[in-house]
């Protein structure tokens, strides 16, 4: 059997595709900002936080890093309503992404903090800064700058992983591809095109994050 | 209505875990073999071969695994090939794993000091001999921890094959949930089983990293 590729008809579905791209990007933006914030907080806890909180954060990080994102998503969307916490598809998707990226970015940021020379902490202390002030003003920014490439890769990975949220009917790009596929039975074209869009988004996101890194950290890191 | 005990649920999930383990092993071994081939292309002397491997890796790392699964499952079916879910799942996971392993291993090969290449070349070794006797033994030591660490990603990656209908742990979780109406318990257990599979791998990767590093420092 021979198969004839036709891509022209896809144009009529562009509103769905555009909507899907917008939702995917929204998920990444919200998940990225809140996830990295959560990760930063967790990294602070693991480096300097109160002793009772450390095992809690360690458990959270290990649990999330060793279970599939799909299951985390299903647990939040299908499981939490049993506790009386009913979330919409998009909220559940966002929450899952924040929780997921929070754990991964915690480990990445922690590596950055550990790579900070010990003298920096001592220097902060000698200026009569509290440990938190030292963390906030002296340690955090160079740490983030050091691990920015790794953090960017993780954000791209989370963006690609977000394709799974279509499974709880959040209307992201993959949802659009599935929608088109179910309408037209032209699976190959629908998935090839959306895969290409994902690839373009991944390349674009990496560039944007690299440029953003230059703006956020304007000064060169002292060796 | 039938009542399901916790044991009923757990037993069914554990039965399905076999397929998660099997698929992970196939993906990891198959992906390792393909990845080794890719690695050789990626570090070969011919520029075109290097570029080919680079584009392959960029493509598979830059697109969602779910899309790769869809293309393997729905796409091939359109050409009149009857693709069972397990075949599409295995194929997509092998190709995906290979891209990541090749890139991890490239880093390890490049971590071997350049002088080692020059020294072995000066002994009149061919490219393959250099790899076989000088570079790989040293790179292998560096490669073990990240390779074990990546196996966790493979196990987690197999969860996505439930979406194209392969019945493994995640799919079993959905099926059992539909039968028992206890999503909280079922997905909680599914998560714990995944954790039980993955955590020893992560932990041993960390331990190996520390051990091999210490050995390295003592040189």
């Amino acid at each position: 059997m021979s198969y004839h590729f036709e891509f022209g008809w896809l144009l009529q579905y562009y509103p769905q595709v555009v909507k899907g791209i917008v939702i995917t990007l929204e998920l990444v933006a919200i998940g990225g900002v809140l996830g990295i914030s959560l990760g930063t907080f967790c990294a602070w806890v693991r480096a300097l936080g109160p002793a009772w909180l450390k095992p809690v954060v360690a458990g959270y990080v290990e649990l999330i890093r060793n279970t599939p994102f799909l299951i985390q998503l299903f647990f939040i969307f299908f499981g939490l309503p049993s506790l009386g916490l009913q979330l919409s598809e998009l909220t559940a998707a966002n929450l899952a992404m924040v929780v997921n990226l929070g754990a991964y970015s915690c480990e990445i940021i922690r590596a950055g903090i550990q790579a900070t020379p010990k003298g920096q902490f001592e220097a902060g202390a000698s200026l009569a800064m509290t440990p938190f002030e030292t963390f906030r003003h002296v340690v955090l920014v160079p740490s983030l700058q050091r691990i920015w490439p790794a953090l960017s890769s993780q954000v791209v990975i989370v963006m690609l992983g977000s394709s799974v949220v279509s499974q709880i009917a959040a209307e992201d790009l993959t949802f659009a591809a599935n929608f088109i596929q179910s309408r037209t039975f032209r699976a190959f074209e629908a998935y090839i095109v959306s895969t290409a869009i994902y690839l373009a988004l991944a390349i674009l996101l990496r560039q944007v994050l690299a440029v953003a890194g230059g703006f956020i950290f304007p000064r060169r890191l002292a060796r | 209505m039938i009542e399901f005990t916790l044991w009923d649920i757990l037993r069914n999930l554990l039965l399905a875990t076999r397929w998660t383990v099997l698929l992970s092993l196939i993906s990891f071994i198959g992906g390792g073999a393909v990845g080794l081939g890719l690695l050789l292309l990626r570090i070969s002397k011919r520029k075109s071969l290097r570029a080919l491997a680079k584009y392959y890796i960029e493509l598979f790392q830059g697109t969602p695994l779910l899309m790769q699964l869809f293309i393997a499952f729905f796409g091939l079916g359109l050409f009149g090939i009857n693709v069972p879910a397990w075949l599409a799942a295995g194929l997509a996971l092998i190709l995906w794993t290979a891209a990541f392993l090749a890139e991890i291993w490239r880093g390890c090969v490049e971590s071997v000091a350049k002088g080692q290449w020059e020294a072995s070349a000066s002994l009149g070794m061919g490219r393959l001999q250099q790899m076989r006797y000088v570079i790989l033994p040293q790179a292998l030591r560096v490669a073990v921890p990240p390779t074990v660490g990546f196996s966790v990603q493979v196990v987690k990656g197999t969860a996505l094959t439930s979406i194209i209908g392969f019945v493994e742990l995640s799919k079993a979780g959905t099926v059992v949930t539909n039968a028992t109406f206890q999503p909280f318990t079922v997905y909680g257990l599914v998560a714990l089983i995944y954790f039980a599979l993955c955590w020893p791998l992560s932990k041993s990767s960390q331990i190996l990293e520390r051990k091999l590093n210490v050995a390295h420092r003592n040189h």
Side-chain angles (χ1 to χ4, degrees):
Chain A
M1 192 182 106
S2 63
Y3 186 80
H4 298 284
F5 287 105
E6 283 172 34
F7 289 99
W9 57 271
L10 269 170
L11 278 176
Q12 73 187 73
Y13 285 102
Y14 85 91
Q16 272 90 350
V17 174
V18 169
K19 188 184 173 200
I21 294 175
V22 169
I23 290 186
T24 293
L25 290 179
E26 272 176 15
L27 284 172
V28 176
I30 297 173
V33 172
L34 295 182
I36 292 176
S37 310
L38 177 63
T40 308
F41 171 74
C42 290
W44 170 75
V45 170
R46 293 195 85 168
L48 300 162
W52 62 271
L53 206 53
K54 280 183 185 174
V56 178
V57 168
Y60 152 71
V61 169
E62 290 291 302
L63 193 64
I64 295 299
R65 280 162 50 93
N66 288 298
T67 52
F69 178 61
L70 182 67
I71 298 301
Q72 295 159 16
L73 187 71
F74 280 177
F75 187 80
I76 287 173
F77 188 66
F78 297 118
L80 288 188
S82 336
L83 298 184
L85 195 63
Q86 186 99 44
L87 300 168
S88 75
E89 295 88 13
L90 272 182
T91 316
N94 263 319
L95 182 61
M97 285 178 74
V98 170
V99 166
N100 189 277
L101 185 60
Y104 280 95
S105 57
C106 169
E107 279 306 276
I108 296 172
I109 296 168
R110 192 165 76 116
I113 293 172
Q114 278 174 347
T116 305
K118 221 177 156 210
Q120 297 284 52
F121 285 94
E122 290 160 1
S126 76
L127 290 173
M129 285 180 170
T130 64
F132 181 77
E133 282 171 339
T134 310
F135 179 80
R136 158 84 184 72
H137 296 291
V138 181
V139 176
L140 183 60
V141 173
S143 301
L144 281 177
Q145 184 171 8
R146 208 171 275 126
I147 47 88
W148 188 252
L151 210 53
S152 305
S153 308
Q154 192 59 45
V155 172
V156 173
I157 289 172
V158 164
M159 193 270 279
L160 298 175
S162 78
S163 66
V164 168
V165 302
S166 59
Q167 294 307 304
I168 58 167
E171 300 181 31
D172 74 326
L173 180 54
T174 307
F175 187 88
N178 284 335
F179 175 84
I180 297 170
Q181 194 271 137
S182 63
R183 281 283 180 92
T184 61
F185 296 106
R186 290 203 157 259
F188 211 74
E189 285 95 333
Y191 291 132
I192 285 282
V193 168
S194 40
T195 304
I197 296 175
Y198 269 113
L199 184 61
L201 288 181
I203 293 169
L204 196 70
L205 186 59
R206 209 171 290 151
Q207 298 291 334
V208 167
L209 287 172
V211 172
F215 274 104
I216 303 171
F217 310 110
R219 263 177 293 177
R220 280 271 202 81
L221 204 58
R223 287 274 157 198
Chain B
M1 199 183 127
I2 314 166
E3 283 296 312
F4 293 92
T5 63
L6 194 63
W7 169 241
D8 287 330
I9 294 173
L10 187 62
R11 198 191 45 189
N12 279 299
L13 292 179
L14 285 174
L15 283 175
T17 305
R18 291 178 304 174
W19 298 108
T20 290
V21 173
L22 188 67
L23 186 60
S24 305
L25 283 175
I26 290 172
S27 311
F28 194 67
I29 294 167
V34 178
L36 194 62
L38 269 177
L39 169 70
L40 293 178
L41 292 182
R42 189 78 180 84
I43 57 176
S44 83
K45 274 186 173 161
R46 295 263 298 276
K47 207 176 173 186
S48 56
L49 292 181
R50 283 207 308 269
L52 190 72
K54 186 178 158 227
Y55 288 131
Y56 175 95
I57 292 169
E58 292 245 325
L59 183 65
F60 279 83
Q61 291 195 348
T63 57
L65 175 59
L66 183 58
M67 282 292 158
Q68 297 164 22
L69 280 165
F70 278 149
I71 289 174
F73 186 62
F74 293 108
L76 292 179
L78 287 183
F79 292 98
I81 309 163
N82 187 18
V83 193
W86 63 265
L87 186 64
L91 186 70
L93 273 168
I94 285 174
L95 295 180
W96 176 81
T97 307
F100 281 86
L101 284 180
E103 196 62 3
I104 291 172
W105 291 341
R106 181 177 71 99
C108 300
V109 167
E110 282 179 356
S111 76
V112 176
K114 216 167 170 229
Q116 299 285 326
W117 284 101
E118 290 158 0
S120 50
S122 75
L123 291 174
M125 285 184 174
R127 184 98 175 151
L128 269 180
Q129 279 178 316
Q130 286 180 300
M131 278 305 276
R132 163 82 184 73
Y133 294 106
V134 180
I135 306 301
L136 279 188
Q138 300 182 69
L140 212 57
R141 178 195 200 92
V142 188
V144 171
T147 306
V148 174
F150 183 72
S151 66
V152 174
Q153 309 294 329
V154 177
V155 176
K156 291 192 295 180
T158 63
L160 296 193
T161 63
S162 65
I163 297 171
I164 59 167
F166 181 69
V167 183
E168 36 63 80
L169 182 51
S170 296
K171 185 77 184 171
T174 306
V175 172
V176 174
T177 300
N178 290 340
T180 60
F181 304 110
Q182 297 179 19
F184 190 83
T185 315
V186 175
Y187 287 123
L189 283 173
V190 169
L192 285 181
I193 297 175
Y194 273 112
F195 184 78
L197 291 176
C198 293
W199 194 69
L201 291 171
S202 317
K203 220 47 222 164
S204 53
S205 160
Q206 284 169 13
I207 293 170
L208 281 168
E209 198 164 338
R210 220 168 301 143
K211 263 195 183 161
L212 295 182
N213 240 335
V214 169
H216 207 74
R217 249 182 273 134
N218 288 345
H219 260 285

